[in-house]
Amino acid sequence: MTPQQVLVIAIPVIGAVFVLFVVLVATSRRRRADERGSEDLTERFAAALDAVPGGFVEEEDAASRTSVPSSSSETPPGQGPKEKVRPMATALLTEAPSPPLQFGEKPSGDGHKSTEVEIVEPKIKLRPIQPAADEEVEGMTRRQVLNRGILLTLGASLTSFGGAVIAFLWPRLSGGFGSVIAAGNMDEIKSTIKANREPFYSAAGRFYLMTYETNLDDATGESIYPKAFTDYKQAGLIAMYQKCPHLGCKVPWCKSSQWFECPCHGSKYNAAGEWQGGPAPRGMWHFPIKVQGGTVMVDTGKQITGAPKGTNTPVDPLPKGPHCVGI
């Protein structure tokens, strides 16, 4: 794995872990109640109620509680004075209230006195208790730790998988296929081709280099192999992609016929990779070449579409012997 691919994997993983860590820290700072939780709140509320003799009233209801003045109005015959109804809290806080009259009981005395009931405000008014947050008891529950740990692991795994896919699909630009490859010295390549009677093959670049002689003028040749024919003609070499344009099989060289012949479905190409027979739709792909200081440089990042059927640019495109694959 190249350093570029390692960076492609490492950068997204580090970024995802950092973002998830920031989210984890941010959410863990939420305020919550102290360790006793709702039980402690209930105990505090009960203790506050115990401090109130007779109970308590809401703050908004306390303002509506007023004392009822005594009256000296005459009581109708056969009916006793009615006692003012009051809450339990105010009733218990009333000091020495008069005994209540039973229904139908006549008041004592001359019958002109009425019983006075005084409504007294409670001594303590309570407001709803809000749970207080303790700064030192902030944190996460065990479930939160588990859930966020699962999310963190899942996010890191998906990010790593995505980075690995990108790295796998990323072209290797340092000497591999998809980059400019130095095939070797031009004269040495030609000597090897002539001695072995077969093309020079580059496994790293996945291409063949074959000697090339043609009588086409540059304008006609450039219309067939754009931005490559002139260099082919001057160098006397032509570069072809190893993949068959039919279904992508690797096309080997047939030494007896001096053609490229595909063993998968029988497609055949002359020494320049131009279609001669079989189910392939056209000739083989080509790559541009440059000669720099005697070294042949092949640009495998730029594929030139093969010539259409019926194209024969070499001086002698005919086979030199029997075919390796039957037609």
Side-chain angles (χ1 to χ4, degrees):
M1 184 177 292
T2 63
Q4 290 84 353
Q5 292 174 331
V6 173
L7 289 177
V8 168
I9 296 176
I11 291 175
V13 172
I14 294 174
V17 172
F18 177 76
V19 171
L20 291 175
F21 175 77
V22 171
V23 173
L24 188 67
V25 172
T27 54
S28 67
R29 302 299 300 172
R30 292 188 310 170
R31 294 178 176 272
R32 64 184 181 90
D34 56 14
E35 294 179 349
R36 298 188 63 184
S38 59
E39 294 180 0
D40 183 68
L41 181 62
T42 303
E43 293 177 1
R44 291 166 56 194
F45 192 73
L49 289 179
D50 292 339
V52 181
F56 74 99
V57 294
E58 298 288 344
E59 182 179 7
E60 59 270 16
D61 295 336
S64 62
R65 307 293 186 184
T66 57
S67 299
V68 180
S70 62
S71 62
S72 57
S73 59
E74 185 176 354
T75 303
Q79 184 177 3
K82 296 182 179 180
E83 183 181 3
K84 306 265 189 317
V85 180
R86 52 191 170 175
M88 178 185 68
T90 58
L92 293 177
L93 290 176
T94 305
E95 297 181 359
S98 300
L101 297 177
Q102 301 296 327
F103 181 79
E105 181 182 358
K106 294 183 179 180
S108 61
D110 55 2
H112 296 285
K113 296 178 66 177
S114 62
T115 303
E116 179 182 351
V117 179
E118 182 181 4
I119 300 178
V120 182
E121 292 291 334
K123 295 180 180 180
I124 297 178
K125 301 175 183 178
L126 297 181
R127 297 179 181 177
I129 299 177
Q130 300 294 334
D134 189 354
E135 296 290 342
E136 296 183 357
V137 191
E138 294 180 353
M140 295 183 299
T141 63
R142 183 168 56 184
R143 176 174 294 181
Q144 289 174 331
V145 173
L146 180 62
N147 292 340
R148 291 169 189 174
I150 293 174
L151 292 177
L152 181 64
T153 304
L154 180 61
S157 301
L158 292 177
T159 306
S160 301
F161 177 75
V165 171
I166 294 175
F168 178 77
L169 299 176
W170 196 277
R172 293 175 295 176
L173 301 180
S174 57
F177 182 76
S179 65
V180 178
I181 298 176
N185 182 268
M186 182 178 65
D187 295 333
E188 292 178 359
I189 291 174
K190 287 182 177 181
S191 300
T192 302
I193 294 173
K194 184 177 181 180
N196 297 331
R197 299 183 66 246
E198 63 183 15
F200 175 86
Y201 176 69
S202 172
R206 307 175 192 174
F207 62 83
Y208 295 103
L209 282 174
M210 187 59 182
T211 52
Y212 183 65
E213 295 181 1
T214 181
N215 294 325
L216 288 181
D217 57 89
D218 292 347
T220 304
E222 285 292 335
S223 65
I224 300 174
Y225 304 113
K227 300 181 180 180
F229 177 80
T230 303
D231 294 322
Y232 292 161
K233 188 175 180 179
Q234 291 178 355
L237 291 172
I238 189 169
M240 293 153 286
Y241 189 16
Q242 68 178 15
K243 187 170 69 173
C244 180
H246 178 220
L247 293 178
C249 298
K250 179 181 177 181
V251 184
W253 173 256
C254 178
K255 204 166 188 177
S256 58
S257 66
Q258 295 289 291
W259 276 8
F260 293 98
E261 300 184 10
C262 181
C264 296
H265 302 94
S267 296
K268 294 177 174 59
Y269 313 89
N270 62 23
E274 297 162 350
W275 181 89
Q276 300 297 314
R282 50 180 170 76
M284 298 169 65
W285 281 282
H286 290 69
F287 294 127
I289 66 172
K290 293 287 183 183
V291 179
Q292 299 178 357
T295 301
V296 179
M297 310 296 294
V298 180
D299 188 357
T300 58
K302 297 178 181 179
Q303 297 182 13
I304 300 172
T305 303
K309 294 180 179 181
T311 303
N312 284 289
T313 61
V315 173
D316 185 12
L318 299 177
K320 305 302 184 292
H323 295 286
C324 297
V325 178
I327 297 180

